[in-house]
Amino acid sequence: MTFNTLTTSLSDGIFIVTINRPDKLNALNMAVFAELNLVLDEITSNAAIQSVIITGAGSKAFVAGADISEFSTFSKEAAMQLSAAGQATFFRIENCTKPIVAAVNGFALGGGCELAMSCHFRIAADNAKFGQPEVNLGLIPGYGGTQRLVQLIGKGRAMELLMSAGMIDANTALQYGLVNYTVPAAELMDKAKAVLTIINSKAPLAIAACIRSANAVFNENVDGYAVEVAAFGDSFDTADMKEGTTAFLEKRKAIFTGK
Ligand code: COA
């Protein structure tokens, strides 16, 4: 599959999706969103893809936000459609049954910070900068940023970042819990691959159930504890649960099949 605004590669079960508009600091225009949805179809349907890294092309930016040049002619209705469509894409990332990690190189601003926050977790290069600068433009985040920033770093810190348009560096993001690791920029992709290699060695259906259950915390329409009970029960119907428990008792490494 070839794209105009993204590049992809697959190696050892890890699918790398690179937003590829470096001359625009990888800003998210409508073409990027359309191609992200195609990529999500591929991630879902291709059994060879076990997990995913999303990153940005070049050393300067992960993604510097929504493409501001598309905004000037928008009506209120068009803006609401864009917001809903962007949210829907990021919901697909958040609820993907395969782990998706953001490898944040440089600026993750506006829609870039929102994209990173929709991933299951984040790893930052030491040059990463996070922020929601929309109020500089008379806007607010439209792709879930007001919600996920509060979920991830707490209301007080999120409120200040949202209202001040301030930027935080990688170390502050680590201290806030927005990212799991900061590493030298040259080691970013290796770190992300190393973390995913560990995850890829586990039972895929159990991984998917972890994602579903943990995401239920933030869905007020479902009882997360009930989701967990159902997922726990379902795991007893899987070949991988039988293999995992048998392998433990036989003191050998489990061989999971995703069944
Ligand atoms: N939308 C569209 N184009 C963008 C963009 C965005 N969100 N962010 C950067 N670009 C473009 C710039 O217009 C510039 O294009 P040009 O060379 O054709 O003029 C190019 O990317 C490089 O950006 P530039 O501003 O020259 O780089 P810088 O190093 O001086 O500044 C930033 C970097 C990230 C601080 C600055 O680009 C910026 O503030 N971007 C907007 C961030 C934002 O508000 N995001 C939320 C959008 S809702």
Side-chain angles (χ1 to χ4, degrees):
M1 227 176 198
T2 53
F3 300 100
N4 293 319
T5 65
L6 310 171
T7 62
T8 60
S9 67
L10 176 62
S11 176
D12 298 327
I14 300 174
F15 192 56
I16 300 176
V17 180
T18 304
I19 315 290
N20 189 28
R21 302 183 72 214
D23 54 325
K24 296 293 175 192
L25 303 188
N26 305 319
L28 302 175
N29 61 9
M30 284 183 252
V32 178
F33 273 108
E35 294 193 336
L36 269 177
N37 276 293
L38 294 175
V39 154
L40 284 159
D41 293 341
E42 171 75 5
I43 291 166
T44 309
S45 62
N46 185 345
I49 297 174
Q50 291 177 273
S51 58
V52 180
I53 299 170
I54 298 181
T55 193
S59 57
K60 198 168 165 184
F62 173 72
V63 166
D67 192 321
I68 299 166
S69 68
E70 287 186 337
F71 285 180
S72 53
T73 58
F74 269 30
S75 63
K76 172 180 173 174
E77 288 70 28
M80 287 173 71
Q81 273 173 16
L82 180 81
S83 174
Q87 286 190 4
T89 304
F90 289 2
F91 273 126
R92 289 189 71 191
I93 294 173
E94 184 170 55
N95 293 303
C96 183
T97 56
K98 300 175 185 180
I100 304 185
V101 173
V104 180
N105 50 319
F107 292 110
L109 301 177
C113 190
E114 293 173 292
L115 171 62
M117 291 194 294
S118 73
C119 294
H120 296 130
F121 58 90
R122 289 141 293 283
I123 299 173
D126 51 12
N127 70 338
K129 291 236 171 5
F130 296 83
Q132 298 289 162
E134 286 87 349
V135 292
N136 285 333
L137 305 167
L139 298 169
I140 73 161
Y143 307 144
T146 60
Q147 307 302 293
R148 293 194 182 95
L149 195 62
V150 173
Q151 290 166 2
L152 285 165
I153 68 172
K155 187 174 173 183
R157 285 167 167 165
M159 283 287 197
E160 184 181 346
L161 270 184
L162 290 166
M163 293 192 284
S164 68
M167 272 190 231
I168 56 171
D169 63 14
N171 280 331
T172 308
L174 182 67
Q175 189 203 328
Y176 282 9
L178 186 58
V179 303
N180 290 14
Y181 307 92
T182 66
V183 294
E187 294 166 25
L188 178 65
M189 295 308 285
D190 282 348
K191 179 67 184 177
K193 286 180 201 168
V195 174
L196 286 177
T197 298
I198 293 169
I199 293 173
N200 287 354
S201 71
K202 314 302 177 192
L205 292 173
I207 299 289
C210 287
I211 293 170
R212 195 165 66 249
S213 300
N215 279 342
V217 173
F218 304 107
N219 182 348
E220 62 189 20
N221 299 316
V222 298
D223 174 355
Y225 288 95
V227 171
E228 184 183 88
V229 166
F232 183 76
D234 286 347
S235 66
F236 282 71
D237 273 344
T238 67
D240 279 348
M241 181 272 182
K242 289 179 183 55
E243 165 64 8
T245 49
T246 304
F248 176 82
L249 295 172
E250 293 176 352
K251 301 192 187 305
R252 62 172 174 84
K253 198 171 177 323
I255 299 167
F256 294 119
T257 57
K259 294 188 174 118

